[in-house]
Amino acid sequence: MTALRPEIAQTQADETPTVDQQGPGLVGLHESIATLLASRGQWRQAYQHLRSALDLVHADQDEQPRVPEQLRREVDRLRREHAEAREQSLRDSLTDSYNRRYLDQRLIDLLAEHGACRHGLAVALIDLDWFKQVNDTFGHLLGDRVLQRVVELLQQGLPEAAFCARYGGEEFVLVLPRVDAATAVEIAEAARERVERHAWQEIAPGLRVTVSAGLAYEPPADEAPQRPAVSAEQQLLRADSLLYTAKQSGRNAVAYRADGRVRLAGAAAGRRAITETRVLGYY
């Protein structure tokens, strides 16, 4: 069969033939178009042509015993490859956590849903303490292993719908939908504590790793009706400001805001010095 020019394939990809348009070789034509479209990454159009081919085969009982199973396998393969490719495009290649692209998209969606939700939404920005010293002392390969292990520890015990994403470098974000303020603090503090208590010496003698976190919490709309809606960027900025507070207040701590004041969670709560950074519009 003569290969179709891309512009013809694209035109036909937008038009799904009906059974009335059957003719000799039409099943093969759909299969050829689907193959071409799949090779160009146009998975949805390729899938439509395979479905059209399958419909035509079902209408032709003479071909039904041989072709339908082949088409079903091809459709399943295309759908599986498409799903795998999309998932990989949203994952960080080193740590297998979600990447910044997924974080930005998902956080925008969650904040859009937040107005109709009776639960809060928390974002914890987490940074490894003194990570440059880890790389300088133990090497970058071991530093990569540390990042991978930290992600594993951060993801342990996360509630349903929560996720971890790599923000950049040695910074990660825990997104915690449908939680109240106290639960959000408990989750972030438990993650910090897991990292601190991990047996890092098993990776390298003398290795010690801790993290600091800033936790920004958005209450349900019915609890704070006068509070203006925030964007994903604003919530991340607030978390970043609180992360800076945790760093300046001694590191290895989770900083959050409650009753208009910045506080430190867990064992760090007894520290006297809390260096607060103001963020415009922060309530």
Side-chain angles (χ1 to χ4, degrees):
M1 181 179 294
T2 303
L4 295 174
R5 296 197 306 273
E7 60 270 28
I8 296 177
Q10 180 61 53
T11 300
Q12 295 195 14
D14 296 332
E15 300 175 359
T16 303
T18 64
V19 175
D20 293 336
Q21 295 174 298
Q22 293 182 51
L26 191 52
V27 169
L29 176 62
H30 278 297
E31 289 183 295
S32 298
I33 294 172
T35 300
L36 175 62
L37 291 170
S39 69
R40 296 165 57 184
Q42 296 173 265
W43 303 104
R44 184 181 297 276
Q45 294 95 325
Y47 175 76
Q48 289 171 349
H49 278 279
L50 286 174
R51 289 299 308 173
S52 296
L54 184 59
D55 291 340
L56 291 171
V57 169
H58 277 302
D60 188 343
Q61 296 301 316
D62 292 336
E63 292 188 52
Q64 189 171 358
R66 179 180 61 84
V67 183
E69 182 59 32
Q70 175 185 353
L71 287 175
R72 280 194 293 269
R73 287 198 300 268
E74 186 68 8
V75 169
D76 289 341
R77 182 184 69 80
L78 285 171
R79 294 175 68 182
R80 183 172 59 254
E81 289 181 357
H82 176 62
E84 290 174 353
R86 174 164 175 77
E87 178 69 13
Q88 286 302 312
S89 74
L90 300 175
R91 293 281 182 177
D92 174 60
S93 59
L94 175 64
T95 65
D96 201 38
S97 60
Y98 284 108
N99 59 22
R100 180 68 181 272
R101 175 185 177 190
Y102 179 85
L103 171 66
D104 291 342
Q105 293 176 349
R106 186 65 182 130
L107 195 51
I108 289 173
D109 292 340
L110 288 171
L111 285 168
E113 300 167 4
H114 181 255
C117 183
R118 296 184 178 181
H119 302 274
L121 172 65
V123 170
L125 183 57
I126 300 171
D127 183 71
L128 276 70
D129 298 324
W130 309 115
F131 186 64
K132 184 178 184 301
Q133 293 184 6
V134 172
N135 281 329
D136 291 346
T137 303
F138 299 96
H140 288 272
L141 289 179
L142 187 138
D144 288 347
R145 290 179 59 192
V146 168
L147 292 176
Q148 292 167 342
R149 187 64 56 82
V150 165
V151 167
E152 293 173 1
L153 295 169
L154 294 179
Q155 292 182 141
Q156 287 180 14
L158 287 182
E160 186 178 359
F163 66 91
C164 176
R166 191 175 186 182
Y167 192 65
E170 62 268 24
E171 287 188 318
F172 299 89
V173 175
L174 291 183
V175 178
L176 310 172
R178 305 182 66 83
V179 295
D180 56 39
T183 301
V185 173
E186 290 175 3
I187 293 171
E189 173 62 14
R192 180 207 64 78
E193 192 172 17
R194 279 196 300 274
V195 174
E196 180 187 22
R197 295 188 174 185
H198 186 67
W200 295 106
Q201 296 80 3
E202 295 179 1
I203 295 180
L207 176 63
R208 181 174 182 266
V209 179
T210 63
V211 296
S212 298
L215 178 68
Y217 177 76
E218 282 299 304
D222 57 354
E223 287 186 13
Q226 303 303 318
R227 185 184 178 97
V230 300
S231 65
E233 182 182 9
Q234 286 173 320
Q235 192 163 18
L236 287 168
L237 282 173
R238 293 175 178 181
D240 185 60
S241 172
L242 289 163
L243 171 60
Y244 182 82
T245 295
K247 291 281 191 181
Q248 294 299 306
S249 302
R251 290 180 168 78
N252 192 22
V254 175
Y256 64 101
R257 186 177 289 271
D259 301 324
R261 295 178 55 190
V262 175
R263 304 173 186 274
L264 300 180
R271 297 177 186 172
R272 293 182 180 179
I274 297 181
T275 304
E276 181 175 349
T277 302
R278 300 268 179 196
V279 175
L280 185 63
Y282 207 139
Y283 280 66

